Amino acid sequence: MITEAATAPAPAPARADHEPPRPTKKRRPAWDEVPRWQIYLPLGVYLVFTLIPFYWILLFALRPAGSTSLVPWPVTFEHFEKVWTDRSFGTFFQNSVYVGLATLVMTTLVALAGGYALARFDFRIKRAFMLALLCSQFVPGALLLVPLFEIFAGLQMINSLGSVIIAETVFQLPLSMILISNFIKNVPYSLEEAAWVDGCGRFRAFRVVVLPLLRPGLIAVGSFAFVHSWNHFLFALMFLNNQEKQTIPVGLNTLMSADSVDLGALAAGGIIAAVPVVLVFAFIQKWLITGFSAGAVKG
């Protein structure tokens, strides 16, 4: 029979009076336990430095000429009317839209074909070709001006929007092709094989099965090509001599002279140039982040 003394727990050993207490390890605060002011204070300072330039450009564009007020009142749109009609910004805007959309379509189509070949086929110089694509990103666009000018002059394409479109497409293709190829690698190859078993050819299987899954990547690549061609200055400046063929970045440069600068007109032209880019990123932000994150790593 088990007695109560046998079942009782053994008493804890007495701690000596001279034994120092064990140090307790401090627990590091988690991210959500960090004081809020340590998060919002740097973000607030960054927001102020970011928004001040936008406020100044709005101030110069909306207040009357000659005014020194820090508040755009009374609001006037005379600077916008001046640059749109007198400075031919309407023509510049149309040319920029044409160049941007054409660059978007050409870059997306060629990058889609090349990215699929890099993702699905193995050939002897594949690694060397990928290395060449990566190394081409280290070449600044200014180094390409002279050879491209000679090529377009031989083809009689100087002062033509086609020369700018081809140059912008060539400049955007390496990065776009790498992003598209990495995005296609994340699509399981078994989906295409299943479509082949069902009787689809390679092209139809790609169009029906793979292409719908590439929407975020295509939007990311296309928007990046459009924004870059919209803002690029060098190619339009070098290949376009006629004012009726120039784009918005070159048009902004014409608002500045050696003697004086019309700050109101320049601010209005800058807002006109920035609005399409802001709208593009506002509408495609979700797909843009998804596309770049998915195309940056191999699945």
Side-chain angles (χ1 to χ4, degrees), residues 14-293:
R15 197 173 85 184
D17 296 338
H18 63 275
E19 183 180 352
R22 295 180 180 178
T24 58
K25 184 181 292 185
K26 293 184 178 181
R27 185 172 61 88
R28 297 182 62 182
W31 173 255
D32 54 354
E33 297 178 3
V34 176
R36 296 195 171 212
W37 66 269
Q38 295 186 10
I39 301 175
Y40 293 120
L41 181 60
L43 292 179
V45 173
Y46 175 77
L47 184 63
V48 169
F49 278 96
T50 304
L51 294 181
I52 285 179
F54 287 99
Y55 177 76
W56 275 106
I57 192 173
L58 286 173
L59 179 65
F60 280 102
L62 296 178
R63 74 183 183 184
S67 175
T68 58
S69 174
L70 296 179
V71 178
W73 188 261
V75 176
T76 178
F77 295 96
E78 60 180 356
H79 300 301
F80 292 93
E81 296 176 0
K82 180 180 180 180
V83 298
W84 191 262
T85 57
D86 298 343
R87 298 300 183 94
S88 303
F89 256 67
T91 303
F92 299 157
F93 189 88
Q94 294 178 4
N95 295 335
S96 293
V97 170
Y98 178 75
V99 170
L101 293 179
T103 304
L104 183 154
V105 173
M106 292 181 61
T107 302
T108 304
L109 291 178
V110 179
L112 185 62
Y116 183 84
L118 291 175
R120 292 295 192 242
F121 298 103
D122 290 327
F123 46 93
R124 212 174 267 183
I125 61 171
K126 181 177 179 179
R127 292 187 177 181
F129 185 74
M130 291 289 292
L131 182 61
L133 290 179
L134 292 173
C135 292
S136 65
Q137 297 302 297
F138 304 128
V139 180
L143 293 180
L144 303 176
L145 290 178
V146 174
L148 286 177
F149 187 88
E150 293 293 333
I151 293 173
F152 292 139
L155 296 175
Q156 297 182 356
M157 295 184 64
I158 298 296
N159 202 30
S160 171
L161 291 179
S163 60
V164 180
I165 294 172
I166 294 175
E168 294 289 350
T169 302
V170 171
F171 196 76
Q172 293 297 314
L173 270 180
L175 180 61
S176 301
M177 198 176 298
I178 292 173
L179 288 175
I180 289 294
S181 65
N182 289 335
F183 198 86
I184 292 176
K185 290 178 183 178
N186 292 328
V187 179
Y189 192 60
S190 58
L191 295 178
E192 288 187 77
E193 293 178 336
W196 297 343
V197 172
D198 292 338
C200 293
R202 181 178 290 274
F203 179 77
R204 185 180 178 187
F206 172 78
R207 180 174 57 86
V208 175
V209 178
V210 180
L211 191 59
L213 301 177
L214 301 180
R215 182 180 301 175
L218 296 178
I219 293 177
V221 169
S223 60
F224 188 75
F226 176 83
V227 171
H228 186 275
S229 62
W230 180 274
N231 295 324
H232 207 186
F233 174 75
L234 285 178
F235 291 156
L237 178 66
M238 291 296 297
F239 303 148
L240 302 175
N241 300 324
N242 191 350
Q243 185 177 359
E244 297 180 356
K245 298 290 186 178
Q246 291 173 350
T247 57
I248 278 187
V250 183
L252 288 174
N253 186 55
T254 60
L255 298 178
M256 297 181 293
S257 62
D259 300 330
S260 63
V261 178
D262 189 347
L263 295 179
L266 187 62
I271 293 177
I272 293 175
V275 165
V277 179
V278 173
L279 292 179
V280 167
F281 278 106
F283 282 106
I284 66 172
Q285 181 181 7
K286 178 178 67 175
W287 294 283
L288 187 66
I289 296 174
T290 304
F292 275 120
S293 60

